[in-house]
Amino acid sequence: MIKLVASDLDGTLLLDGAQQLPAELFDLIRKLKEMGILFVAASGRQYANMKMLFEPVLSDMAFICENGAMAVQNGEILYQDAFDPQLVREILEAVYEKDGAEFSCSTKDFYYIMPKTQHYMDLMTKVMTSRCSVIRDFDDITEPCIKMAVYEQEGMQEESITYWRTRFADKCTVVTSGFDWVDFIPFGTNKAKGIRKYQEILGISQDECVVFGDEYNDIEMLKSVKYSFAMSHSKPGVRAAANYQADRVETVLEKLIQAGGKIEEVI
């Protein structure tokens, strides 16, 4: 019997660049709760942004934010990781100096950004509707940073990914997060850490969990449970980390609900 369902957002629940969740998902989350199954949104996004996306069902679910750097349930922070301030400055200065690269620095409540272009400003504040603090100087960063990211408008080419990994992989985890982002995460921080926290709270095992993902920042989460689904459009390395594949999360959830939480009848 499944007790927890966790899903990534961008590329998993949010397909083809969508910034609004399918309306049908909210009813599915409510039905899962009625069955005693906790739905957890697990994303690289900030908590404030995720709250807006899931506003109709905030009391029916839980969150793994910033690629596992923070977990929140019913407004309570269950844990929160943070970077050393010196490393924060080193990475953000490197991003700012690189042509075509923009950074975001995640805190508990907002992103620090220093946009070079109007495109990035609009992406963060209007498209993704993220809560942002625009800074003019790196000394303006005073809040603890729990995740950093670099954005490249033309998409993260293999050359850029290699560049960022070469520069910082010895100091933190460097992982792709969607088509045009690379995330910098403290060592030991990943979405599987959040999954383990909810397993501890609920007193459940990995065999009672279902997870969905599509990117390399989902791999640890996919490997952490028995019933892991990679989206069928995901990269080969991501699909190899999962035990099953799915075209849409909602389809699997509908079947799981119809089966009374018995995943064996779904797969």
Side-chain angles (χ1 to χ4, degrees), residues 40-218:
V40 180
S43 175
R45 293 194 180 212
Q46 67 175 176
Y47 177 50
N49 179 272
M50 295 172 73
K51 281 199 300 181
M52 287 189 291
L53 286 170
F54 287 94
E55 196 278 332
V57 288
L58 287 179
S59 62
D60 301 314
M61 58 175 297
F63 297 90
I64 297 170
C65 319
E66 308 290 5
N67 278 332
M70 187 167 74
V72 185
Q73 186 177 20
N74 297 323
E76 177 187 354
I77 297 175
L78 305 180
Y79 71 81
Q80 178 181 328
D81 297 337
F83 271 104
D84 178 271
Q86 291 184 331
L87 181 56
V88 171
R89 183 147 188 161
E90 181 182 350
I91 292 176
L92 297 187
E93 286 181 345
V95 175
Y96 196 74
E97 290 168 1
K98 189 174 186 293
D99 289 341
E102 301 267 13
F103 74 75
S104 69
C105 175
S106 306
T107 72
K108 179 175 72 70
D109 297 313
F110 61 87
Y111 288 127
Y112 285 113
I113 59 173
M114 194 186 297
K116 301 177 190 176
T117 64
Q118 190 62 43
H119 163 79
Y120 186 62
M121 181 72 169
D122 291 343
L123 173 69
M124 293 297 289
T125 61
K126 296 180 180 180
V127 178
M128 296 183 66
T129 62
S130 299
R131 185 178 297 173
C132 298
S133 174
V134 180
I135 60 175
R136 296 179 179 273
D137 188 275
F138 292 106
D139 290 335
D140 295 336
I141 297 175
T142 57
E143 294 294 314
C145 178
I146 60 180
K147 190 199 76 176
M148 290 170 282
V150 53
Y151 167 82
E152 296 188 7
Q153 183 176 353
E154 301 304 319
M156 276 295 167
Q157 306 301 317
E158 197 59 41
E159 179 181 353
S160 288
I161 296 169
T162 300
Y163 173 81
W164 294 117
R165 284 178 175 159
T166 300
R167 287 206 62 172
F168 295 110
D170 62 332
K171 298 179 180 180
C172 62
T173 299
V174 182
V175 63
T176 55
S177 179
F179 170 72
D180 37 23
W181 294 89
V182 162
D183 287 350
F184 305 94
I185 312 165
F187 284 134
T189 293
N190 52 58
K191 295 180 184 181
K193 180 177 181 178
I195 297 295
R196 289 192 295 272
K197 184 64 178 179
Y198 288 112
Q199 288 173 339
E200 174 189 330
I201 290 171
L202 298 173
I204 62 175
S205 70
Q206 64 172 358
D207 293 353
E208 297 173 288
C209 303
V210 176
V211 302
F212 300 87
D214 79 302
E215 258 294 353
Y216 283 98
N217 62 336
D218 297 315

